[in-house]
Amino acid sequence: MRNELLKLIEKNSKIDIADLAKMLGVSEVDIANELSALEKEGIICGYLTLIDWEKTSVEKVTGLIEVRVTPQRGKGFDRIAERIYNYPEVKSVYLISGAYDLLVTLEEDTLKEIASFVSDKLSTIDEVISTATHFILKKYKDHGTIFGNISKDEREAFTL
Amino acid sequence: MKSVLSKKVLDIKPSGIRKFFDLVAEKKDVISLGVGEPDFDTPWHIREEGIYAFEKGRTFYTSNSGLKELRIEICNYLKRKFNLNYDALTETLVTVGGSEAIDLAMRALIDEGDEVIIPEPCYVSYKPCAILANAKVVTINLKVDNNFKLTADELKEAITDKTKILVLPFPNNPTGAILEEKDLQEIAKVCIDNDIYVITDEIYAELTYSGKHHSIAEVSGMKDRTIYINGFSKAFAMTGWRLGYACANSEIIKQMTKIHQFAIMCAPTISQYAAIEALKNGDKDIEVMRTAYNERRRFLMKSFDEMGLPCFEPYGAFYVFPCIKKYGMSSEEFAMKFLEEENVAVVPGSAFGDSGEGFLRISYAYSIENLKVAVEKLRKFVSKL
């Protein structure tokens, strides 16, 4: 039940406990208990809302920054990652295999702010060897959801 | 004066609830629970393969039996999923949906006066296809007390010395009933004892919710007297691609292919290329869809239970078949009133045979959000009855 529950709420964190209980064939109490256990265990880390900011008046710039670093003895990449992810404007940090080491996403109001984060904060960390910054021009799909895609049921009302 | 139209065709009645369907078509913003096809889009990798086939200009006829590579994949799939062993070259025919295969099987096997046993409620095309092939149809009215399964005793009662074919439509549309291994063994014994052939329509084989699906073709002694029918519509959400297949012993397939050759030529080529991809890489898609259907099935069953609407628990297809007899209305009256008052469309069980009277077919090929709205309307509706 646990994995099926996780898959359901990963797609829709707003879904009612009562509906989840019916869909999974268990009681509402079971669902509530399982959810709080999952929260305590740190498996559910948060409940977010997916927003297409482009449709609002809010200006946002998202940068993807490839970072090459020198790993530290004993700590590997973890400590450097920590120094980066502690900045609240950093939205995500991934350790990546291949041509570079860390992929950092950054969200700011202006391009300038991203530029200054990279030059003043990121590049100045001792272990950082180089950075390459990309700006997101348009989000087509995020978290498995296609933006601007409101699907309509085009099936016939009846088929036997 | 000569009659323009064939008497046989004129005698086949259009669906008795046409009136009801027309009414739904007129209404606006109807919430429909009436469809018999998946709400999922065909998985993208399959559609993409179809697009690629277009780009490559694969727009010619295929061989009458279908692409060899597709037939090989069909046989691999049947072996892998259902432990069925068919030869790709001589025992497999690719058709325009499962529906064409039903028609071909009837025409290939029936001589005038042969009796075809059809358990009802069931999908609406078996009976007309049998009649067009000059068969006499013998109906078995399945009972809710048996969870709408066909029992060996019911079958025995329907058999005469003219009986040639049993149509076995499980997992069932409209009831959602399935047959388990034990049920199949009992039915198989009756078929073998009475020298009866079986047309088994297993189009919903991938959609069962209480363990693995079994086919009657798997039962010892049955393969040679079974015409196995399946397709891509329900398992891979490919209804509009119109692609199905039949497997049977080579003598039967040879004759079915002959009819297919003259009537159809071959199944759509683009669809055949896409179907190869579906069989090779589609197992995960099926799993995702089945899980979603099962969640919806449980959701509906629990909701009916809460509103006091009796419904046997179906373990197959994507339909539930609640009983509305206690409200003192016919299926059609209930469906009509529900449509008028709450703007929700369901299919009266009587559309699928007399034994469907007193029941409704409710499809759960809809999102949970949709079902939730519809269920709330149903709850409101029955609470006033």
Side-chain angles (χ1 to χ4, degrees), chain B residues 31 39 57 76 94 153 159 177 184 199 219 247 250 282 290 303 328 365:
Chain B
I31 300 172
D39 55 316
N76 289 343
V94 179
D153 287 338
I159 291 171
L184 291 169
I199 297 177
V219 180
C247 296
S250 58
R290 179 175 29 228
S303 302

Side-chain angles (χ1 to χ4, degrees), chain A residues 4-5 7-8 11-12 15-16 18-26 28 151 153-160, chain B residues 20-21 24 32 34-39 123 173 291 295 298-299 302-303 306 346-347 352 361 365-366 368 372:
Chain A
E4 198 175 346
L5 173 64
K7 281 182 189 163
L8 283 170
K11 271 192 232 137
N12 177 10
I15 190 166
D16 287 353
D19 294 344
L20 286 169
K22 285 183 192 170
M23 289 162 77
L24 299 175
V26 296
E28 292 180 35
S151 64
D153 194 344
E154 292 176 16
R155 293 175 293 171
E156 296 285 315
F158 274 117
T159 39
L160 293 176
Chain B
F20 176 63
F21 287 180
V24 174
S32 173
V35 305
E37 62 179 325
D39 55 316
Y123 178 57
N173 168 15
T291 303
E295 288 160 2
R298 292 196 207 106
F299 178 84
K302 183 69 186 167
S303 302
E306 284 172 0
V346 297
V347 183
F352 305 94
R361 188 191 78 173
Y366 296 92
I368 272 288
K372 207 178 157 182

Side-chain angles (χ1 to χ4, degrees), chain A residues 158 160, chain B residues 15 17-26 347-348 351:
Chain A
F158 274 117
L160 293 176
Chain B
S15 177
I17 54 170
R18 196 67 255 172
K19 196 174 60 180
F20 176 63
F21 287 180
D22 293 343
L23 189 76
V24 174
E26 281 167 25
V347 183

Side-chain angles (χ1 to χ4, degrees), chain B residues 70-178:
Chain B
L70 174 58
R71 282 180 286 150
I72 291 170
E73 285 304 329
I74 287 170
C75 293
N76 289 343
Y77 164 86
L78 292 178
K79 173 74 191 153
R80 179 172 88 239
K81 289 288 184 97
F82 307 116
N83 196 30
L84 297 173
N85 295 291
Y86 285 105
D87 178 54
L89 299 186
T90 59
E91 297 180 324
T92 308
L93 170 64
V94 179
T95 57
V96 179
S99 3
E100 190 210 340
I102 294 164
D103 184 35
L104 295 180
M106 299 277 189
R107 289 204 266 168
L109 266 68
I110 293 167
D111 274 323
E112 180 141 19
D114 287 343
E115 289 183 6
V116 175
I117 296 178
I118 301 179
E120 287 183 341
C122 72
Y123 178 57
V124 293
S125 88
Y126 310 120
K127 202 170 175 175
C129 284
I131 291 170
L132 287 171
N134 296 319
K136 183 184 166 207
V137 171
V138 176
T139 304
I140 298 178
N141 290 319
L142 300 180
K143 296 183 185 71
V144 66
D145 296 341
N146 299 328
N147 286 346
F148 286 108
K149 285 177 176 187
L150 172 67
T151 66
D153 287 338
E154 288 170 324
L155 176 58
K156 273 184 215 158
E157 262 180 58
I159 291 171
T160 72
D161 53 0
K162 294 213 173 69
T163 304
K164 177 117 185 226
I165 294 170
L166 165 67
V167 175
L168 205 56
F170 294 94
N172 184 272
N173 168 15
T175 66
I178 59 166

Side-chain angles (χ1 to χ4, degrees), chain A:
Chain A
M1 192 257 289
R2 174 169 272 215
N3 289 342
E4 198 175 346
L5 173 64
L6 285 171
K7 281 182 189 163
L8 283 170
I9 59 170
E10 188 184 26
K11 271 192 232 137
N12 177 10
S13 62
K14 260 182 84 181
I15 190 166
D16 287 353
I17 287 184
D19 294 344
L20 286 169
K22 285 183 192 170
M23 289 162 77
L24 299 175
V26 296
S27 73
E28 292 180 35
V29 176
D30 288 343
I31 297 284
N33 288 343
E34 188 67 5
L35 285 173
S36 73
L38 286 162
E39 286 166 15
K40 276 198 199 106
E41 291 170 43
I43 294 172
I44 294 177
C45 306
Y47 299 88
L48 310 173
T49 307
L50 191 60
I51 297 169
D52 185 358
W53 286 104
E54 267 184 39
K55 294 208 178 83
T56 70
S57 58
V58 178
E59 294 291 336
K60 268 180 189 288
V61 184
T62 309
L64 291 180
I65 310 156
E66 303 169 7
V67 188
R68 284 179 60 218
V69 300
T70 322
Q72 287 173 304
R73 192 179 193 103
K75 307 265 187 193
F77 293 98
D78 294 354
R79 223 194 62 77
I80 306 157
E82 187 186 350
R83 282 190 65 181
I84 298 171
Y85 66 59
N86 275 329
Y87 287 103
E89 57 270 46
V90 169
K91 288 293 164 192
S92 66
V93 177
Y94 304 110
L95 182 62
I96 303 286
S97 66
Y100 58 95
D101 305 304
L102 297 172
L103 178 64
V104 176
T105 7
L106 196 66
E107 218 172 74
E108 292 280 17
D109 298 339
T110 64
L111 214 113
K112 211 167 138 192
E113 285 169 294
I114 292 188
S116 74
F117 177 86
V118 174
S119 59
D120 299 350
K121 295 174 176 147
L122 206 53
S123 306
T124 54
I125 298 173
D126 279 348
E127 293 83 2
V128 170
I129 301 165
S130 70
T131 64
T133 305
H134 311 275
F135 292 99
I136 288 178
L137 303 180
K138 183 172 178 175
K139 278 189 192 173
Y140 292 101
K141 186 178 183 181
D142 207 352
H143 289 81
T145 306
I146 300 169
F147 284 172
N149 187 29
I150 296 160
S151 64
K152 201 171 139 253
D153 194 344
E154 292 176 16
R155 293 175 293 171
E156 296 285 315
F158 274 117
T159 39
L160 293 176

Side-chain angles (χ1 to χ4, degrees), chain B residues 268-287:
Chain B
T269 305
I270 295 294
S271 302
Q272 293 192 50
Y273 279 104
I276 293 170
E277 169 65 18
L279 293 171
K280 275 186 173 165
N281 298 310
D283 286 4
K284 238 164 91 183
D285 305 311
I286 294 175
E287 201 52 52

